[in-house]
Amino acid sequence: MPRQHAEFYEQQSLFYVGGRDATGQPWASVLVGRPGFVSAPDSSNLILQSYRRLPEDPLLLAPGAHLGGLGIDLVTRRRNRVNGTVLAEPAASVSAAPPAPAAAPVVRVAVDLSFGNCPKYIQVRDVRLRQDQLPPLPSAAPSPAAAQHTASAPTAATAGVVVRGRGKELGAAQLALIAAADTFFIATSYSGGGNRGGARELQNAVGCDISHRGGPPGFLRLERDPRGGPNPVLRWADYAGNNMFQTLGNLATDARAGLLIVDWATGDTLQLAGTAETDFQDRSLPGAQRSVRFTVTHFIHAAGALPIDTSAAAAAAKPVQFSPYLPKDAPPPLAPGQVWTPRTAGAAHDGAAAVAAAIAAGAVAPAPAEQVEVVSVRWAAEGIKTFEFAMPKGQPTSYVAGQYAVFEFPACYERPAAEGPPASASVADTAASCCCGGTITRTWTLTSHPAADSAARGTFSITVKRAGAVSGRMHDALRPGDRLALRAFAGDFTTELVLPPAPAAAAAAGLGAAPAPDHLVLLLAGGIGVTPIWAVVNDLAQRAAAAAAAARGKGAGGSSGSSSGARQRVVVLYSVRRGEEAAFRSELRQLAEAAAEAAAAGGADDGGLDVQVLLTTTAAVPGMDPGRAAAAAAEAAAVLAARRGGYVEAAGVRLGSALVRAALGPAGLEALRAGRCAAMVCGPGGFMAAVERTLVDELGLPADRLHSESFAY
Ligand SMILES: Cc1cc2nc3c(=O)[nH]c(=O)nc-3n(C[C@H](O)[C@H](O)[C@H](O)COP(=O)(O)OP(=O)(O)OC[C@H]3O[C@@H](n4cnc5c(N)ncnc54)[C@H](O)[C@@H]3O)c2cc1C
């Protein structure tokens, strides 16, 4: 091992390891410590000490265990790999000071091979760890005060680290993590015949490797398991790399492999065990030289396993910089038969899978697709436009709040602008003028209201963020008078999910669901995930207004009064990077302020909604101390929680657990715990997983009361 590799390892806080469990199954894992926890006293030994392990990690670090190690600096894209064997003898000579009582065992690894590796597909990411949650190094003799801290530290150091799921069948939280990943680590093993990158003396060696894989978010595609297994198969493109082929060489001799996915925002880790198969002929994915399919047999999902510094300053410091080598093209859509669909109906609504399943089942296939004309186009926020269309004259003709519209485009609209149809071709009459053969579908939530807009004005709207090929082309070229091919309205992420059970009397009076004073509706949105959340809160307001009007009518007709029941609390928590990027910002403000005014005027039993909206922007505010921003946000949220309706914005802060608690207040937290609450969440995968962790794991919301929708493909 060259000295420069040794020095590199010594600077790392994270050391990725690939090894086997007691059954021989490879697992990918990571050890966490202060820089220096990996050290190299000479060119043939690595010492690992004072590290934290992932909870319940099955990877064996026992004497005789073969390990692959990877040090990777995500800021400089430097990385080095090592192969070795754990030695039996303790590494007592390494450090003068004894390790802390609860410290991890010292592991000495005899190095067989150390080599640099291709940095091409590494996303630059500034991962900062909370040093106070890492075991101190034995050589840095702690001060008496620090020693005291150390004595109580072992529990503090791993506080909040829990295994939040393990087993054979992946759930919504694990799938969200996989779907959002742009990086993973893969462990494989070899016993003779593996490819050691030209190191002839090791051609018959036994050991393990760990390797990094990067790609655009979503490059781990979730596909139906052709063998009918309960989990989706993970398929990824294998890009042109440094042609060492260790991983693929190993897989050719032993198909078992382990994957590690990290949620860099929260420090959650997902370890997957299974088998992988390489298709050397498959170049169908953009940039792919071949593809790999991974079948999951076991998983371990740990919350907060890496002590990521999530303070606003650290998190906002540097956004991810994607590797310039990543393919620019989007991957081809999955054919209906390829798409994975959940086997059991859970609380999570996998939008993509649901659409695909509906198409596969023929439910989303009116033939021919209905041509609908654009009536207006307007900006909804920075990078987001609302497109309004005339309602279709044929099928489909109606929808419910929270559903989406499925459109059809010629396949060439998915290609980059330079290769696709000329911009002048617009996106009009798409189904009629396919230049390339084949069609693709795209799905956008309906942001109009079925009664207030569609029945009353004869139009429906979608609100589209400029994201990729098709949405970009719509932003650039779609004008009033153009037409698009609408296939269907569909989806079950709708208001029904949060309506309290309708009391019999209200139902009998034809009022539908009536407000329930102690029933909390909690709606959470991240970024463009606001579209269904807006649709639902708007619908709740329209329903309450209709019920109140009906009650007033009855009152005017001679009944005893105009009161229609207790007001219902609706809390909307909406997180965006910057305020300018918040679609429906003014609409939500209007709705919440109108609710507050109505509450003040109408009293506690007018059947209205107490809509409280908290919009948080995560971008750091220049000159504002992150700690102060968080404190100000919590204070504003608490004031909001105590009011009957209202709107508040908080800048430079994440929608974390403290803020959610403050916004709910004691009554809301109690409703949550008691299950008198229904919640809906939509946003990026990381956001949804964090929300689930806060609401379900920390605050005790029964898991079946949390409904989520993913836009990810
Ligand atoms: C239920 C649901 C509701 C959504 N609502 C909204 C919304 O209200 N506003 C909004 O901006 N976005 C919404 N989206 C996301 C939207 O459907 C598109 O994925 C997004 O606009 C990016 O499309 P693009 O072609 O511009 O991006 P690209 O980056 O070119 O496409 C990304 C890749 O994703 C895959 N893909 C994307 N959409 C589909 C699809 N419909 N079917 C199959 N594969 C697909 C394809 O492989 C495509 O190549 C929603 C998604 C879902 C599943």
Side-chain angles (χ1 to χ4, degrees):
M1 175 171 51
R3 188 62 221 158
Q4 112 198 51
H5 286 193
E7 283 167 4
F8 176 75
Y9 292 128
E10 287 169 4
Q11 292 159 13
Q12 305 308 312
S13 269
L14 297 170
F15 187 65
Y16 299 89
V17 281
R20 297 187 178 92
D21 66 12
T23 69
Q25 166 70 47
W27 289 83
S29 184
V30 62
L31 307 179
V32 199
R34 300 187 187 200
F37 86 98
V38 183
S39 58
D42 52 51
S43 64
S44 48
N45 286 285
L46 264 191
I47 308 295
L48 312 171
Q49 61 187 327
S50 304
Y51 51 83
R52 258 172 67 166
R53 294 202 59 179
L54 302 185
E56 299 185 26
D57 190 350
L59 184 149
L60 294 176
L61 277 182
H66 300 289
L67 295 184
L70 166 70
I72 184 164
D73 181 343
L74 294 179
V75 172
T76 59
R77 290 200 171 106
R78 241 188 106 189
R79 64 177 182 171
N80 286 311
R81 280 170 55 182
V82 63
N83 297 106
T85 310
V86 177
L87 291 177
E89 71 266 36
S93 60
V94 187
S95 93
V106 177
V107 171
R108 182 149 73 140
V109 181
V111 173
D112 298 327
L113 187 63
S114 177
F115 50 102
N117 222 198
C118 170
K120 256 176 148 178
Y121 304 105
I122 297 177
Q123 334 301 356
V124 173
R125 156 178 283 128
D126 192 1
V127 178
R128 299 188 194 177
L129 300 182
R130 287 191 49 180
Q131 296 296 310
D132 61 332
Q133 299 209 1
L134 297 175
L137 296 174
S139 50
S143 66
Q148 218 171 3
H149 172 73
T150 308
S152 59
T155 28
T158 49
V161 180
V162 287
V163 169
R164 60 183 309 221
R166 63 176 303 157
K168 296 184 175 169
E169 253 179 68
L170 298 166
Q174 292 84 47
L175 292 168
L177 237 169
I178 297 169
D182 59 42
T183 297
F184 69 90
F185 302 89
I186 177 166
T188 50
S189 61
Y190 54 93
S191 45
N195 190 328
R196 301 290 78 219
R200 284 176 196 283
E201 69 279 16
L202 294 173
Q203 290 297 330
N204 292 317
V206 178
C208 287
D209 272 318
I210 183 151
S211 173
H212 159 279
R213 291 288 181 274
F219 80 122
L220 276 172
R221 289 162 56 109
L222 299 170
E223 298 188 0
R224 192 177 64 81
D225 182 351
R227 298 178 193 92
N231 292 315
V233 168
L234 279 55
R235 176 166 165 244
W236 66 86
D238 195 59
Y239 304 133
N242 55 359
N243 290 332
M244 289 173 79
F245 293 114
Q246 267 104 347
T247 297
L248 299 189
N250 294 345
L251 289 175
T253 63
D254 185 341
R256 292 174 301 175
L259 265 54
L260 169 70
I261 297 171
V262 176
D263 181 335
W264 303 102
T266 61
D268 291 5
T269 54
L270 178 63
Q271 289 175 282
L272 302 172
T275 53
E277 203 182 325
T278 311
D279 182 341
F280 287 93
Q281 309 308 323
D282 179 14
R283 294 186 168 219
S284 65
L285 297 171
Q289 302 291 304
R290 58 219 135 236
S291 74
V292 182
R293 284 187 172 80
F294 180 76
T295 306
V296 180
T297 51
H298 284 92
F299 77 91
I300 304 173
H301 186 184
L306 305 190
I308 299 275
D309 185 347
T310 51
S311 71
K318 287 222 175 91
V320 179
Q321 227 178 293
F322 288 101
S323 160
Y325 294 97
L326 297 183
K328 300 280 180 284
D329 313 358
L334 299 174
Q338 265 182 303
V339 175
W340 173 79
T341 47
R343 210 170 51 160
T344 50
H349 294 253
D350 183 328
V355 175
I359 291 172
V364 183
E370 180 87 20
Q371 295 285 311
V372 287
E373 186 172 318
V374 179
V375 174
S376 74
V377 180
R378 63 178 191 279
W379 287 104
E382 195 177 287
I384 303 174
K385 283 184 174 180
T386 292
F387 300 93
E388 184 186 19
F389 297 85
M391 279 297 280
K393 299 200 170 47
Q395 294 292 323
T397 52
S398 64
Y399 61 94
V400 294
Q403 285 195 313
Y404 48 78
V406 183
F407 290 90
E408 189 173 81
F409 297 86
C412 53
Y413 279 90
E414 202 174 24
R415 294 204 208 114
E419 297 167 28
S424 57
S426 177
V427 254
D429 293 335
T430 52
S433 61
C434 185
C435 42
C436 50
T439 56
I440 55 169
T441 54
R442 286 291 180 276
T443 313
W444 291 283
T445 309
L446 290 141
T447 48
S448 46
H449 190 263
D453 300 311
S454 301
R457 284 163 50 84
T459 64
F460 72 93
S461 299
I462 55 172
T463 301
V464 179
K465 178 177 170 174
R466 183 186 198 105
V470 179
S471 57
R473 209 174 283 280
M474 285 172 68
H475 268 243
D476 292 339
L478 199 59
R479 307 267 180 272
D482 285 346
R483 286 180 297 149
L484 284 192
L486 173 72
R487 289 189 77 173
F489 297 138
D492 52 6
F493 190 66
T494 62
T495 317
E496 299 296 325
L497 296 172
V498 290
L499 287 178
L511 297 181
D518 58 353
H519 179 92
L520 171 69
V521 174
L522 179 55
L523 304 171
L524 301 105
I528 192 62
V530 72
T531 51
I533 297 302
W534 157 253
V536 167
V537 68
N538 185 28
D539 188 37
L540 287 170
Q542 301 283 350
R543 284 169 185 252
R552 273 196 306 277
K554 271 181 71 185
S559 107
S560 54
S562 63
S563 144
S564 58
R567 296 176 67 82
Q568 177 169 6
R569 186 172 176 207
V570 179
V571 177
V572 180
L573 305 178
Y574 178 17
S575 174
V576 285
R577 219 166 54 84
R578 297 183 302 115
E580 293 78 1
E581 296 168 8
F584 303 105
R585 187 184 190 181
S586 56
E587 288 87 342
L588 284 167
R589 173 172 215 138
Q590 242 174 23
L591 207 151
E593 287 177 349
E597 275 169 31
D605 62 349
D606 65 351
L609 294 185
D610 282 340
V611 183
Q612 298 161 334
V613 177
L614 171 66
L615 172 72
T616 57
T617 53
T618 54
V621 181
M624 192 193 275
D625 169 61
R628 253 194 47 223
E635 201 175 309
V639 170
L640 181 69
R643 285 171 49 197
R644 305 237 316 268
Y647 177 93
V648 160
E649 290 190 1
V653 68
R654 274 185 188 276
L655 196 52
S657 160
L659 205 47
V660 172
R661 284 172 196 268
L664 292 177
L669 289 170
E670 179 46 35
L672 213 77
R673 262 191 301 273
R676 283 183 277 101
C677 170
M680 293 174 81
V681 55
C682 185
F687 174 85
M688 294 205 294
V691 162
E692 186 184 335
R693 199 172 43 249
T694 299
L695 296 184
V696 177
D697 299 347
E698 288 179 32
L699 302 182
L701 175 73
D704 62 353
R705 299 296 164 91
L706 177 62
H707 307 276
S708 58
E709 177 156 82
S710 163
F711 287 180
Y713 281 89

